[in-house]
Amino acid sequence: MVHLALTARTRVENRSAATATATAAPEPPTSYAWSFSVDLDEHGELNLFFLYGDPDIGNLYVMTREPASRDGGVPAAP
């Protein structure tokens, strides 16, 4: 298990007036924490993931990344 804790807020995004509710939006948290897990898939490759939402439902978000280009630089555009 990997625990990631962001203890300092570096930026705040505000909703536009069109999407804001009738009441004032709550102040965003000053810190965040996530717990990631690592597992092997059916091909023996590592998957980094975290669970979100209701723990009884088991929503899973798997972290992925674009494969590197053949020259070792930035991945090629689609």
Side-chain angles (χ1 to χ4, degrees):
M1 175 150 320
V2 177
H3 182 74
L4 174 65
L6 304 176
T7 58
R9 184 171 58 197
T10 59
R11 182 174 164 179
V12 175
E13 295 290 332
N14 293 319
R15 293 182 180 180
S16 69
T19 60
T21 61
T23 61
E27 181 68 18
T30 56
S31 65
Y32 297 88
W34 291 275
S35 292
F36 292 91
S37 297
V38 179
D39 197 6
L40 291 175
D41 67 11
E42 62 274 0
H43 305 290
E45 297 178 5
L46 293 176
N47 282 328
L48 180 66
F49 66 93
F50 65 91
L51 298 169
Y52 65 94
D54 184 340
D56 294 330
I57 294 174
N59 292 322
L60 184 71
Y61 188 91
V62 178
M63 308 297 287
T64 61
R65 63 178 170 178
E66 294 289 326
S69 66
R70 293 184 192 268
D71 63 4
V74 177

XYZ file of all heavy atoms in Angstrom:
590
model
N 0.848 -1.168 0.000
C 0.000 0.000 0.000
C 0.896 1.235 0.000
O 1.911 1.274 0.663
C -0.921 0.016 1.208
C -1.702 1.281 1.275
S -3.339 1.255 2.012
C -4.077 -0.201 1.476
N 0.495 2.225 -0.775
C 1.199 3.501 -0.854
C 0.263 4.567 -0.309
O -0.896 4.645 -0.714
C 1.564 3.837 -2.317
C 2.229 5.184 -2.416
C 2.439 2.750 -2.911
N 0.747 5.360 0.633
C -0.070 6.440 1.201
C 0.493 7.766 0.718
O 1.680 8.031 0.894
C -0.059 6.382 2.726
C -0.913 7.426 3.359
N -2.285 7.340 3.364
C -0.603 8.568 3.972
C -2.767 8.400 3.971
N -1.770 9.159 4.356
N -0.332 8.568 0.088
C 0.064 9.878 -0.425
C -0.683 10.941 0.363
O -1.905 10.929 0.425
C -0.280 9.981 -1.913
C -0.066 11.323 -2.582
C 1.411 11.685 -2.590
C -0.617 11.306 -3.994
N 0.065 11.848 0.978
C -0.545 12.927 1.753
C -0.055 14.265 1.213
O 1.145 14.508 1.156
C -0.200 12.795 3.224
N -0.987 15.092 0.790
C -0.662 16.451 0.354
C -1.051 17.373 1.489
O -2.228 17.549 1.792
C -1.423 16.802 -0.928
C -1.204 15.840 -2.089
C -2.072 16.226 -3.265
C 0.252 15.808 -2.489
N -0.059 17.949 2.134
C -0.323 18.712 3.352
C -0.387 20.211 3.125
O -0.682 20.951 4.051
C 0.758 18.415 4.409
O 2.032 18.737 3.857
C 0.739 16.945 4.798
N -0.100 20.660 1.928
C -0.177 22.097 1.633
C -0.961 22.304 0.345
O -0.716 21.639 -0.653
C 1.223 22.691 1.495
N -1.912 23.183 0.390
C -2.707 23.503 -0.796
C -1.941 24.537 -1.604
O -1.560 25.577 -1.108
C -4.071 24.029 -0.362
C -4.992 24.304 -1.503
C -6.389 24.613 -1.049
N -6.415 25.755 -0.141
C -7.425 26.054 0.651
N -8.479 25.288 0.681
N -7.380 27.099 1.424
N -1.698 24.249 -2.876
C -0.936 25.170 -3.724
C -1.817 25.937 -4.694
O -1.371 26.899 -5.291
C 0.131 24.416 -4.531
O -0.515 23.427 -5.333
C 1.136 23.745 -3.599
N -3.064 25.515 -4.845
C -3.952 26.174 -5.792
C -5.395 25.833 -5.427
O -5.677 24.756 -4.934
C -3.642 25.669 -7.192
C -4.447 26.303 -8.272
C -3.931 25.825 -9.609
N -4.924 26.122 -10.624
C -4.781 25.846 -11.877
N -3.692 25.259 -12.304
N -5.707 26.141 -12.743
N -6.299 26.736 -5.707
C -7.714 26.510 -5.451
C -8.484 26.843 -6.719
O -8.291 27.897 -7.310
C -8.223 27.397 -4.286
C -9.722 27.228 -4.119
C -7.509 27.062 -3.005
N -9.320 25.915 -7.135
C -10.195 26.144 -8.282
C -11.558 26.563 -7.754
O -12.080 25.955 -6.819
C -10.336 24.877 -9.121
C -9.059 24.422 -9.770
C -8.604 25.339 -10.894
O -9.461 25.992 -11.521
O -7.400 25.407 -11.129
N -12.141 27.580 -8.324
C -13.465 28.040 -7.929
C -14.458 27.741 -9.033
O -14.122 27.795 -10.211
C -13.457 29.540 -7.649
C -12.631 29.883 -6.431
O -12.687 29.185 -5.429
N -11.850 30.936 -6.514
N -15.690 27.431 -8.640
C -16.744 27.201 -9.618
C -17.224 28.534 -10.168
O -17.234 29.537 -9.477
C -17.923 26.487 -8.971
C -17.604 25.092 -8.548
C -18.829 24.455 -7.975
N -18.526 23.103 -7.562
C -19.406 22.296 -7.023
N -20.632 22.703 -6.814
N -19.060 21.086 -6.679
N -17.638 28.498 -11.414
C -18.199 29.708 -12.009
C -19.568 29.974 -11.384
O -20.192 29.086 -10.818
C -18.333 29.552 -13.523
O -19.340 28.600 -13.819
N -20.043 31.189 -11.514
C -21.345 31.560 -10.955
C -22.456 30.705 -11.556
O -23.443 30.416 -10.907
C -21.612 33.036 -11.194
N -22.297 30.269 -12.804
C -23.322 29.466 -13.472
C -23.473 28.087 -12.835
O -24.551 27.514 -12.844
C -22.981 29.314 -14.946
N -22.411 27.535 -12.278
C -22.499 26.194 -11.687
C -22.587 26.222 -10.170
O -22.799 25.184 -9.566
C -21.280 25.342 -12.100
O -20.098 25.995 -11.640
C -21.225 25.139 -13.594
N -22.417 27.370 -9.562
C -22.483 27.460 -8.097
C -23.920 27.287 -7.627
O -24.861 27.635 -8.320
C -21.930 28.791 -7.630
N -24.094 26.749 -6.442
C -25.433 26.588 -5.888
C -25.887 27.901 -5.264
O -25.125 28.859 -5.173
C -25.436 25.475 -4.820
O -24.546 25.863 -3.781
C -25.008 24.149 -5.415
N -27.116 27.925 -4.801
C -27.672 29.143 -4.211
C -26.926 29.541 -2.945
O -26.841 30.714 -2.609
C -29.150 28.939 -3.906
N -26.385 28.567 -2.240
C -25.610 28.881 -1.036
C -24.135 28.959 -1.400
O -23.709 28.468 -2.435
C -25.812 27.805 0.049
O -25.366 26.553 -0.456
C -27.275 27.710 0.451
N -23.368 29.564 -0.532
C -21.932 29.696 -0.785
C -21.274 28.316 -0.784
O -21.628 27.450 0.003
C -21.294 30.577 0.280
N -20.332 28.126 -1.690
C -19.614 26.849 -1.769
C -18.746 26.686 -0.528
O -18.181 27.652 -0.026
C -18.752 26.821 -3.026
N -18.635 25.455 -0.021
C -17.792 25.235 1.160
C -16.322 25.463 0.823
O -15.900 25.300 -0.313
C -18.052 23.783 1.526
C -18.547 23.151 0.277
C -19.241 24.232 -0.498
N -15.564 25.838 1.816
C -14.122 26.036 1.651
C -13.476 24.683 1.361
O -13.756 23.703 2.036
C -13.544 26.650 2.927
C -12.072 26.933 2.878
C -11.681 28.058 1.917
O -12.542 28.855 1.533
O -10.499 28.104 1.557
N -12.607 24.600 0.340
C -11.955 23.308 0.065
C -11.020 22.922 1.193
O -10.533 23.773 1.933
C -11.183 23.565 -1.227
C -11.136 25.029 -1.413
C -12.216 25.630 -0.586
N -10.752 21.625 1.354
C -9.859 21.188 2.432
C -8.450 21.734 2.235
O -8.032 22.014 1.120
C -9.868 19.667 2.334
C -10.569 19.325 1.088
C -11.260 20.519 0.576
N -7.730 21.870 3.317
C -6.354 22.373 3.242
C -5.360 21.254 2.982
O -4.211 21.521 2.645
C -5.968 23.093 4.541
O -6.151 22.198 5.633
C -6.817 24.333 4.747
N -5.773 19.996 3.142
C -4.886 18.864 2.855
C -5.725 17.705 2.318
O -6.938 17.659 2.511
C -4.113 18.448 4.094
O -5.000 17.964 5.071
N -5.063 16.795 1.634
C -5.707 15.619 1.067
C -4.861 14.401 1.380
O -3.653 14.502 1.547
C -5.810 15.733 -0.469
C -6.660 16.867 -0.943
C -6.128 18.133 -1.135
C -8.000 16.663 -1.227
C -6.916 19.172 -1.590
C -8.791 17.703 -1.682
C -8.242 18.952 -1.864
O -9.020 19.983 -2.315
N -5.483 13.233 1.411
C -4.737 11.985 1.609
C -5.393 10.895 0.767
O -6.617 10.805 0.703
C -4.725 11.588 3.073
N -4.577 10.101 0.104
C -5.049 8.974 -0.687
C -4.264 7.741 -0.280
O -3.101 7.817 0.077
C -4.818 9.184 -2.190
C -5.653 10.229 -2.813
C -6.914 10.105 -3.302
C -5.277 11.585 -3.048
N -7.340 11.296 -3.826
C -6.349 12.227 -3.680
C -4.131 12.342 -2.778
C -6.319 13.554 -4.051
C -4.101 13.664 -3.140
C -5.189 14.258 -3.768
N -4.907 6.600 -0.379
C -4.225 5.325 -0.174
C -4.327 4.539 -1.477
O -5.429 4.233 -1.941
C -4.869 4.534 0.956
O -4.636 5.184 2.181
N -3.187 4.270 -2.086
C -3.117 3.508 -3.324
C -2.702 2.082 -2.996
O -1.958 1.844 -2.052
C -2.075 4.116 -4.276
C -2.454 5.455 -4.816
C -2.074 6.616 -4.158
C -3.180 5.566 -5.986
C -2.413 7.852 -4.655
C -3.525 6.811 -6.488
C -3.140 7.953 -5.819
N -3.148 1.160 -3.799
C -2.748 -0.236 -3.663
C -2.099 -0.683 -4.966
O -2.344 -0.111 -6.026
C -3.956 -1.119 -3.367
O -4.523 -0.754 -2.135
N -1.279 -1.718 -4.876
C -0.605 -2.278 -6.037
C -0.971 -3.751 -6.106
O -0.975 -4.451 -5.102
C 0.924 -2.112 -5.922
C 1.629 -2.715 -7.121
C 1.298 -0.646 -5.768
N -1.305 -4.200 -7.321
C -1.700 -5.587 -7.514
C -1.167 -6.066 -8.856
O -0.806 -5.249 -9.713
C -3.228 -5.681 -7.487
C -3.732 -7.094 -7.264
O -2.918 -7.992 -7.015
O -4.957 -7.282 -7.343
N -1.110 -7.364 -9.059
C -0.715 -7.934 -10.342
C -1.962 -8.230 -11.165
O -2.952 -8.757 -10.647
C 0.063 -9.232 -10.141
C 1.450 -9.111 -9.518
C 2.029 -10.500 -9.271
C 2.379 -8.307 -10.404
N -1.915 -7.885 -12.474
C -3.029 -8.218 -13.350
C -2.837 -9.625 -13.918
O -1.908 -10.344 -13.550
C -3.216 -7.173 -14.446
C -2.061 -7.126 -15.445
O -1.198 -8.021 -15.427
O -2.037 -6.179 -16.260
N -3.718 -10.011 -14.828
C -3.661 -11.371 -15.377
C -2.415 -11.638 -16.222
O -2.080 -12.781 -16.514
C -4.924 -11.673 -16.199
C -5.113 -10.781 -17.407
C -5.819 -9.465 -17.101
O -6.174 -9.207 -15.949
O -5.989 -8.683 -18.047
N -1.680 -10.569 -16.611
C -0.451 -10.705 -17.393
C 0.800 -10.594 -16.518
O 1.906 -10.560 -17.030
C -0.393 -9.645 -18.493
C -1.593 -9.660 -19.388
N -1.843 -10.669 -20.282
C -2.625 -8.794 -19.501
C -2.976 -10.426 -20.916
N -3.473 -9.298 -20.463
N 0.613 -10.494 -15.204
C 1.745 -10.373 -14.289
C 2.317 -8.967 -14.220
O 3.402 -8.774 -13.687
N 1.590 -7.977 -14.737
C 2.042 -6.584 -14.689
C 1.432 -5.886 -13.482
O 0.328 -6.211 -13.048
C 1.660 -5.859 -15.979
C 2.341 -6.452 -17.196
C 1.923 -5.774 -18.484
O 1.172 -4.774 -18.423
O 2.339 -6.250 -19.547
N 2.155 -4.908 -12.947
C 1.681 -4.177 -11.778
C 0.591 -3.178 -12.147
O 0.673 -2.513 -13.178
C 2.837 -3.431 -11.113
C 3.912 -4.295 -10.472
C 5.040 -3.411 -9.951
C 3.338 -5.132 -9.347
N -0.421 -3.085 -11.305
C -1.478 -2.082 -11.427
C -1.490 -1.248 -10.160
O -1.517 -1.784 -9.052
C -2.853 -2.738 -11.581
C -3.098 -3.240 -12.974
O -2.618 -2.669 -13.944
N -3.845 -4.314 -13.083
N -1.499 0.074 -10.325
C -1.641 1.002 -9.214
C -3.092 1.461 -9.218
O -3.599 1.922 -10.242
C -0.694 2.186 -9.398
C -0.700 3.259 -8.322
C -0.188 2.698 -7.005
C 0.157 4.434 -8.769
N -3.796 1.325 -8.091
C -5.218 1.669 -8.066
C -5.622 2.195 -6.693
O -4.890 2.071 -5.726
C -6.068 0.454 -8.423
C -6.011 -0.659 -7.413
C -6.943 -0.731 -6.393
C -5.026 -1.626 -7.479
C -6.892 -1.752 -5.455
C -4.965 -2.652 -6.544
C -5.905 -2.714 -5.533
N -6.801 2.829 -6.659
C -7.401 3.201 -5.382
C -8.899 2.985 -5.453
O -9.498 2.973 -6.532
C -7.052 4.638 -4.967
C -7.591 5.714 -5.864
C -8.824 6.294 -5.621
C -6.847 6.166 -6.942
C -9.317 7.302 -6.442
C -7.321 7.174 -7.760
C -8.560 7.736 -7.515
N -9.497 2.773 -4.302
C -10.944 2.620 -4.183
C -11.546 3.974 -3.837
O -10.943 4.762 -3.120
C -11.280 1.609 -3.098
C -10.762 0.194 -3.351
C -10.920 -0.652 -2.098
C -11.493 -0.435 -4.513
N -12.738 4.257 -4.348
C -13.398 5.525 -4.045
C -14.892 5.306 -3.852
O -15.428 4.284 -4.248
C -13.131 6.562 -5.145
C -13.736 6.201 -6.485
C -14.988 6.673 -6.847
C -13.058 5.388 -7.375
C -15.542 6.347 -8.064
C -13.598 5.064 -8.596
C -14.842 5.539 -8.935
O -15.396 5.212 -10.143
N -15.526 6.276 -3.236
C -16.964 6.196 -3.016
C -17.313 5.282 -1.848
O -16.523 5.065 -0.937
N -18.494 4.712 -1.919
C -18.996 3.830 -0.875
C -18.126 2.569 -0.812
O -17.996 1.852 -1.810
C -20.442 3.457 -1.197
C -21.109 2.617 -0.125
O -20.391 1.991 0.688
O -22.346 2.589 -0.106
N -17.524 2.276 0.341
C -16.646 1.100 0.444
C -17.353 -0.215 0.128
O -16.730 -1.163 -0.339
C -16.173 1.110 1.899
C -16.437 2.486 2.392
C -17.567 3.037 1.586
N -18.674 -0.291 0.351
C -19.415 -1.515 0.073
C -19.595 -1.762 -1.421
O -19.822 -2.894 -1.843
C -20.781 -1.484 0.752
C -20.676 -1.502 2.267
O -19.691 -2.093 2.765
O -21.548 -0.938 2.934
N -19.512 -0.712 -2.226
C -19.690 -0.861 -3.671
C -18.388 -1.288 -4.334
O -18.379 -2.078 -5.270
C -20.225 0.448 -4.289
C -21.641 0.707 -3.766
C -20.212 0.381 -5.804
C -22.220 2.017 -4.191
N -17.263 -0.792 -3.833
C -15.965 -1.203 -4.363
C -15.592 -0.563 -5.684
O -15.022 -1.219 -6.552
N -15.920 0.723 -5.867
C -15.495 1.423 -7.081
C -13.976 1.473 -7.126
O -13.325 1.841 -6.160
C -16.051 2.851 -7.113
C -17.549 2.873 -7.277
O -18.112 2.070 -8.006
N -18.199 3.789 -6.590
N -13.411 1.115 -8.262
C -11.975 0.989 -8.413
C -11.494 1.921 -9.522
O -12.073 1.945 -10.604
C -11.643 -0.464 -8.778
C -10.201 -0.850 -8.895
C -9.556 -0.883 -7.514
C -10.089 -2.216 -9.542
N -10.465 2.707 -9.253
C -9.858 3.586 -10.249
C -8.431 3.107 -10.458
O -7.613 3.158 -9.546
C -9.872 5.038 -9.770
C -9.449 6.014 -10.827
C -10.389 6.593 -11.668
C -8.116 6.346 -11.003
C -10.004 7.482 -12.652
C -7.726 7.233 -11.988
C -8.681 7.802 -12.808
O -8.291 8.670 -13.781
N -8.141 2.602 -11.659
C -6.813 2.087 -11.979
C -6.018 3.187 -12.669
O -6.475 3.781 -13.640
C -6.908 0.843 -12.886
C -5.521 0.336 -13.253
C -7.713 -0.255 -12.198
N -4.831 3.461 -12.141
C -3.949 4.471 -12.715
C -3.233 3.864 -13.920
O -2.735 2.743 -13.853
C -2.920 4.938 -11.686
C -3.515 5.387 -10.359
S -4.584 6.811 -10.489
C -3.376 8.069 -10.779
N -3.222 4.590 -15.036
C -2.536 4.137 -16.238
C -1.662 5.253 -16.761
O -1.792 6.402 -16.346
C -3.531 3.733 -17.341
O -4.323 4.865 -17.688
C -4.428 2.596 -16.890
N -0.777 4.914 -17.678
C 0.030 5.933 -18.314
C 0.239 5.540 -19.767
O 0.173 4.363 -20.125
C 1.358 6.137 -17.616
C 2.246 4.934 -17.652
C 3.555 5.225 -16.983
N 4.291 3.983 -16.812
C 5.470 3.914 -16.291
N 6.062 4.997 -15.851
N 6.074 2.772 -16.168
N 0.493 6.542 -20.579
C 0.764 6.306 -21.984
C 2.127 5.638 -22.112
O 3.067 6.008 -21.405
C 0.785 7.635 -22.752
C -0.553 8.328 -22.794
C -1.550 7.616 -23.687
O -1.132 7.044 -24.716
O -2.734 7.623 -23.347
N 2.262 4.669 -23.011
C 3.581 4.067 -23.208
C 4.546 5.095 -23.803
O 4.137 5.974 -24.569
C 3.324 2.913 -24.172
C 2.001 3.185 -24.768
C 1.242 4.072 -23.827
N 5.814 5.010 -23.430
C 6.825 5.931 -23.959
C 7.012 5.675 -25.453
O 6.826 4.561 -25.936
C 8.143 5.736 -23.216
N 7.377 6.716 -26.180
C 7.644 6.568 -27.599
C 8.914 5.761 -27.806
O 9.710 5.576 -26.888
C 7.751 7.938 -28.267
O 8.877 8.608 -27.772
N 9.131 5.290 -29.006
C 10.306 4.454 -29.293
C 11.612 5.201 -29.084
O 12.624 4.608 -28.772
C 10.234 3.934 -30.726
C 9.108 2.967 -30.948
C 9.166 2.432 -32.368
N 7.956 1.721 -32.698
C 7.798 0.427 -32.539
N 8.770 -0.292 -32.040
N 6.668 -0.150 -32.868
N 11.601 6.542 -29.235
C 12.843 7.305 -29.060
C 13.085 7.693 -27.604
O 14.048 8.375 -27.295
C 12.857 8.538 -29.951
C 11.759 9.531 -29.611
O 11.010 9.316 -28.636
O 11.630 10.545 -30.324
N 12.198 7.244 -26.679
C 12.388 7.520 -25.258
C 11.872 8.881 -24.826
O 11.991 9.254 -23.686
N 11.266 9.616 -25.728
C 10.767 10.949 -25.402
C 9.305 10.924 -25.045
O 8.779 9.944 -24.530
N 8.648 12.005 -25.346
C 7.226 12.169 -25.050
C 6.428 11.213 -25.927
O 6.759 11.013 -27.087
C 6.802 13.632 -25.326
C 5.318 13.828 -25.111
C 7.612 14.573 -24.466
N 5.359 10.591 -25.383
C 4.541 9.689 -26.201
C 4.022 10.391 -27.452
O 3.727 11.589 -27.428
C 3.402 9.294 -25.281
C 3.910 9.542 -23.913
C 4.886 10.680 -24.028
N 3.911 9.644 -28.521
C 3.437 10.199 -29.784
C 1.970 10.578 -29.670
O 1.208 9.935 -28.965
C 3.623 9.172 -30.899
N 1.580 11.632 -30.372
C 0.184 12.070 -30.388
C -0.645 11.056 -31.154
O -0.164 10.434 -32.101
C 0.075 13.438 -31.031
N -1.914 10.880 -30.759
C -2.781 9.897 -31.446
C -3.062 10.299 -32.873
O -2.994 11.376 -33.288
C -4.051 9.864 -30.619
C -3.976 10.989 -29.645
C -2.574 11.507 -29.669
